[in-house]
Amino acid sequence: MSNAPSLNASQLLLDLAGTDLSVSYQDRLPSPDVPVLVVSNHRSFMDAFILMKALDHPLRVVCHHYMGKTPILKDIVHFLGCYPLESPNKRQKSFLQEAANILNSCQWLGIFPEGATPMLQLTQPHQVGEFQRGFAHLALGKNLPNLAVLPVAIASYKETIVKPFPIRFLHLLDADEPLFDQDGFHEVVLYHHVKVLIGQPYWVDDSLRQQYQGKTAKSVVNQLTRHCHQEIVNLLQPVW
């Protein structure tokens, strides 16, 4: 696993940034040959690299639409195995199809359920925003193998925040994203000392998927979403 190009590239980025990375609770990692949906908090463009290196496993990370339209950046994300979302009017259908294909091939898929908001409205390292529920609908959907939904917390102990360009610059790359239509500068987090804490996996099997229908569907989605959100919140609390 550790010889995969994406893992080598992640290590190179961390070395160039001088990032000190440590990992806790590695014994909670599922077997490398089962499909895993990795769910994590999100504050920095470095998060995908951090997760790949910390989990020591190739990871297909879902990233924002503009990353697939930006010169150089789009080549980097494709090399790493990440895949950018489609434009908003096509996003949900294409996300579910592509993500299902990845999990059906027993690959690991990484998702940031907070979306792009924390990248532009920067939060404190211990804060976790509201989770969108798309990942839960994906995990519980039909025609998927039994899989583990793995909550992972990225805890920053030391970081630098830079403001390299105006937010509206991103609007030029992705005019459909309303978050980019605002004044101010884009705050970018550079990690110097970061710890990845692995949570308890939530196993999704056929019996659970049977509850994902009718009147019980909403309850099952909320239960899975709450588990991942609360697990990450709990993992982050001892850090501060």
Side-chain angles (χ1 to χ4, degrees):
M1 294 294 181
S2 59
N3 291 326
S6 59
L7 300 184
N8 294 335
S10 297
Q11 182 62 62
L12 177 61
L13 174 72
L14 298 183
D15 290 342
L16 291 173
T19 304
D20 179 27
L21 171 66
S22 58
V23 186
S24 293
Y25 311 121
Q26 290 170 296
D27 58 304
R28 296 174 178 173
L29 284 171
S31 171
D33 58 352
V34 302
V36 177
L37 181 59
V38 177
V39 176
S40 177
N41 58 317
H42 187 36
R43 295 177 63 248
S44 171
F45 76 98
M46 296 179 68
D47 290 336
F49 303 99
I50 292 289
L51 288 178
M52 290 179 193
K53 183 59 183 176
L55 301 179
D56 194 29
H57 194 289
L59 188 66
R60 301 288 305 277
V61 180
V62 180
C63 59
H64 199 278
H65 178 56
Y66 82 91
M67 291 187 174
K69 300 176 67 174
T70 307
I72 300 177
L73 184 58
K74 65 181 180 181
D75 296 323
I76 294 174
V77 297
H78 284 299
F79 173 76
L80 291 172
C82 306
Y83 78 91
L85 292 169
E86 294 284 350
S87 56
N89 60 323
K90 303 177 181 177
R91 184 165 296 171
Q92 183 173 1
K93 183 178 180 180
S94 64
F95 161 70
L96 292 174
Q97 289 178 339
E98 179 68 18
N101 290 338
I102 290 171
L103 293 171
N104 271 311
S105 62
C106 287
Q107 298 182 66
W108 288 24
L109 176 67
I111 293 180
F112 301 118
E114 293 170 279
T117 301
M119 301 283 288
L120 299 172
Q121 300 171 8
L122 193 60
T123 58
Q124 295 300 310
H126 63 283
Q127 294 178 320
V128 183
E130 182 179 355
F131 276 9
Q132 300 172 22
R133 290 168 169 76
F135 78 93
H137 287 285
L138 167 65
L140 293 162
K142 297 179 181 179
N143 303 319
L144 281 177
N146 294 344
L147 60 88
V149 181
L150 184 69
V152 176
I154 300 175
S156 174
Y157 289 83
K158 185 179 180 181
E159 63 188 31
T160 297
I161 299 174
V162 298
K163 301 178 181 181
F165 51 80
I167 295 174
R168 289 190 185 277
F169 173 76
L170 296 175
H171 192 260
L172 297 175
L173 302 173
D174 188 357
D176 296 324
E177 176 55 69
L179 282 173
F180 297 159
D181 189 17
Q182 57 179 296
D183 295 326
F185 279 78
H186 182 22
E187 296 181 308
V188 176
V189 177
L190 302 175
Y191 296 132
H192 301 304
H193 181 194
V194 64
K195 176 180 283 190
V196 170
L197 304 105
I198 299 165
Q200 296 287 354
Y202 191 105
W203 292 93
V204 178
D205 56 18
D206 290 340
S207 63
L208 189 62
R209 288 195 175 96
Q210 289 176 2
Q211 301 175 46
Y212 181 60
Q213 53 187 316
K215 296 180 179 180
T216 59
K218 184 177 180 180
S219 175
V220 176
V221 168
N222 289 340
Q223 180 180 339
L224 174 52
T225 305
R226 281 196 303 269
H227 169 83
C228 292
H229 187 275
Q230 193 59 52
E231 190 77 6
I232 291 172
V233 168
N234 291 344
L235 287 167
L236 289 173
Q237 291 311 307
V239 177
W240 288 271

